[in-house]
Amino acid sequence: MTYSPHGRHLIAGDWTASTATFRSDPAHGPAHEFGEATADLVDRACQAAEDAFWSYAETTRAERAAFLRAIAEEIEARAAAITQIATAESGLPQARIEGERGRTTGQLRLFADHIERGDYLDRRVDPALPDRTPLPRPDIRMVQRPLGPVAVFGASNFPLAFSTAGGDTASALAAGCPVVLRGHQAHPGTAEIIAEAIHAAITRCGMPAGVFALLQGGGNAVGQALVTHPLIRAVGFTGSLRGGRALFDLCAGRPEPIPFFGELGSINPMFILPQALGARGTAIAQGWAASLTMGAGQFCTNPGVAIVIDGPDAARFAQAAQSALGDVAAQTMLTDGIAAAYRSGCAAALAAPGVDPLIQGQADGRTALPVLLRVSGDTWQSRPDLHHEVFGPLGILITVRDAPQMEAIARDLEGQLTCTLHLDAGDTDHARRLMPILERKAGRVLANGFPTGVEVCDAMVHGGPYPASTNFGATSVGTMAIRRFLRPVAYQNMPAALLPQDLQEG
């Protein structure tokens, strides 16, 4: 099935055209024209979202759960067309898009189940104690309430699961917050067809028309207008450190600052301890190569750094990684700009003193080949310019003198989404010394695995200290993501008829 985009924005339930347009740049297939959003369209979308909030925030959890499930069903009804447009725009293979679509609908249903249970509301009741001395205690009840309209920015590397109906949108809608979505310019057709699915679910479930809006294009001016609009109460973002930090600063600089939940960047280091390196070094190296190059390395959990203690086992590990990466063919990247940034980042790393290039994959245009570099622990510690994420299949092998230097490197890490330990039983004491460090550095700590692949479940944390994310207490994946768009409200001596329904039920 072929999908032909109409190129309009969705505002207050209407598909709205704009005079200025931009042209998509697909990996293959025809390009299409899409309307450029304006500050006026941002204002209209935000006003509609605010109008919708008054009724949407009062819907029952069962009604919102039915809405989330309806979105999932409408996405599945468009499965073939979504696959067609998403693979054309992104260059990602069909299996990846189909898997990502399943993840998108799966998390919508997971959130529906979660809000129906009601645990996320953290309801607390302290009944009145009128006879308490020296002073009586009033009746106080607390529950989590939705914030208001939320702005969400679609991600380049996940056209479905982190974009139009992805985790930020799904969690905001689950919380009771309308969403104004800024589609990513890399896959506007995909954004549009998913918005059509959401619009169909809105109509089917009788939800207020302004509960979801899609705005396309418009450049930095539209992004700025969205995050600074006085009716927006929070922002969800997945993208680059530079872009995310600019939006974060705008949110903080508003007359009334708002929370910015940005997932920005991470090198996701792996610490490979001596016993595991000696016993399983080749297998770990092969697994690293597969994880490093999955999706052309365009995952926020891409394990860009491996740290080993120097010696014969480290040399064998390097050889195994070099062999495995040497067999990887050129892969299409999401955009020409991402491919150019990857080549630029690799060139800068290669030019740094003390860098030993093991693989220097060269590719042109929108494609990428893996690059593998080796540096000593001393070089790594003296070259902070090597510590920045390069989005793509670049791996850096750090060979350290000993366990203390490995621990020193761990202590010097910036915030990460993930840190990984590869260990065998004989490495336990070393791992115990690393664990207090790593749990301060990352939102997720793994053992004997690879961080690519983020399970959508209750216990998942996809976030971490800055610059991995801008709010270390939040996650953008898993059911706890809903809590980002809620705030606690206490009700003192409130008549039962005036309490929120969730407190009346509790």
Side-chain angles (χ1 to χ4, degrees), residues 33-68:
E33 296 288 331
F34 294 87
E36 292 270 16
T38 62
D40 177 64
L41 293 177
V42 169
D43 182 60
R44 288 167 55 186
C46 293
Q47 292 285 349
E50 175 70 9
D51 292 342
F53 177 69
W54 296 108
S55 57
Y56 186 64
E58 300 306 318
T59 55
T60 67
R61 287 177 283 116
E63 289 169 336
R64 292 199 303 281
F67 177 40
L68 295 175

Side-chain angles (χ1 to χ4, degrees), residues 64-427:
R64 292 199 303 281
F67 177 40
L68 295 175
R69 294 186 182 110
I71 296 173
E73 291 166 4
E74 294 292 346
I75 289 172
E76 289 169 344
R78 296 160 174 77
I82 290 169
T83 298
Q84 176 263 318
I85 190 69
T87 54
E89 288 185 327
S90 68
L92 295 171
Q94 179 177 335
R96 159 69 190 276
I97 292 298
E98 291 174 349
E100 193 180 329
R101 188 180 66 242
R103 172 177 170 158
T104 304
T105 57
Q107 68 189 357
L108 285 162
R109 293 186 170 106
L110 174 68
F111 290 171
D113 294 343
H114 185 73
I115 63 173
E116 281 184 329
R117 291 194 297 270
D119 297 342
Y120 75 102
L121 294 167
D122 193 19
R123 289 175 282 209
R124 304 183 184 201
V125 176
D126 288 302
L129 297 176
D131 299 326
R132 189 183 70 174
T133 59
L135 293 172
R137 184 178 76 185
D139 180 277
I140 302 177
R141 299 163 187 257
M142 187 274 285
V143 72
Q144 301 287 335
R145 297 292 290 156
L147 291 177
V150 171
V152 172
F153 287 74
S156 65
N157 60 332
F158 277 88
L160 299 174
F162 276 87
S163 290
T164 312
D168 287 343
T169 295
S171 54
L173 293 176
C177 298
V179 170
V180 180
L181 188 287
R182 167 72 183 281
H184 198 283
Q185 201 150 326
H187 39 75
T190 307
E192 181 183 289
I193 192 171
I194 298 297
E196 288 180 353
I198 298 173
H199 179 52
I202 291 170
T203 303
R204 174 175 152 188
C205 296
M207 292 296 172
V211 77
F212 177 83
L214 169 67
L215 300 171
Q216 305 261 42
N220 293 338
V222 164
Q224 179 173 342
L226 183 55
V227 302
T228 58
H229 196 284
L231 295 177
I232 293 296
R233 312 312 302 158
V235 177
F237 173 88
T238 297
S240 70
L241 175 59
R242 180 180 178 183
R245 183 56 199 245
L247 295 175
F248 174 76
D249 290 344
L250 286 171
C251 288
R254 290 170 37 137
E256 183 182 359
I258 59 173
F260 177 81
F261 298 104
E263 189 259 278
L264 306 182
S266 183
I267 58 173
N268 305 294
M270 302 194 311
F271 296 81
I272 306 168
L273 304 189
Q275 295 295 317
L277 183 65
R280 301 182 285 114
T282 296
I284 296 171
Q286 291 168 345
W288 182 36
S291 182
L292 187 68
T293 58
M294 183 186 297
Q298 298 169 115
F299 287 90
C300 44
T301 52
N302 192 35
V305 171
I307 304 157
V308 299
I309 295 176
D310 202 8
D313 290 337
R316 283 188 288 270
F317 179 88
Q319 181 58 50
Q322 187 174 359
S323 177
L325 290 169
D327 292 335
V328 176
Q331 295 174 278
T332 301
M333 301 198 83
L334 292 158
T335 68
D336 290 326
I338 289 173
Y342 170 67
R343 286 193 288 273
S344 175
C346 289
L350 281 162
V355 171
D356 176 20
L358 301 181
I359 291 182
Q360 298 185 62
Q362 299 292 325
D364 298 320
R366 196 163 164 169
T367 61
L369 281 165
V371 171
L372 178 63
L373 311 177
R374 179 168 52 193
V375 300
S376 69
D378 292 341
T379 296
W380 177 265
Q381 289 177 299
S382 66
R383 301 292 312 196
D385 52 314
L386 293 174
H387 301 186
H388 304 305
E389 179 189 30
V390 175
F391 196 57
L394 166 67
I396 299 179
L397 175 62
I398 306 171
T399 56
V400 300
R401 293 187 304 274
D402 49 26
Q405 188 174 37
M406 182 179 282
E407 292 160 23
I409 286 174
R411 288 181 186 277
D412 290 340
L413 286 170
E414 293 185 312
Q416 303 293 326
L417 293 171
T418 73
C419 288
T420 300
L421 285 170
H422 288 275
L423 73 159
D424 283 356
D427 296 312

Side-chain angles (χ1 to χ4, degrees), residues 454-494:
V454 182
E455 186 68 28
V456 182
C457 61
D458 289 329
M460 178 52 65
V461 174
H462 188 62
Y466 186 86
S469 66
T470 55
N471 190 308
F472 60 81
T475 176
S476 62
V477 177
T479 55
M480 202 173 74
I482 298 169
R483 291 290 297 271
R484 297 174 297 168
F485 306 119
L486 298 164
R487 67 182 183 90
V489 179
Y491 302 84
Q492 184 168 324
N493 288 337
M494 191 63 60

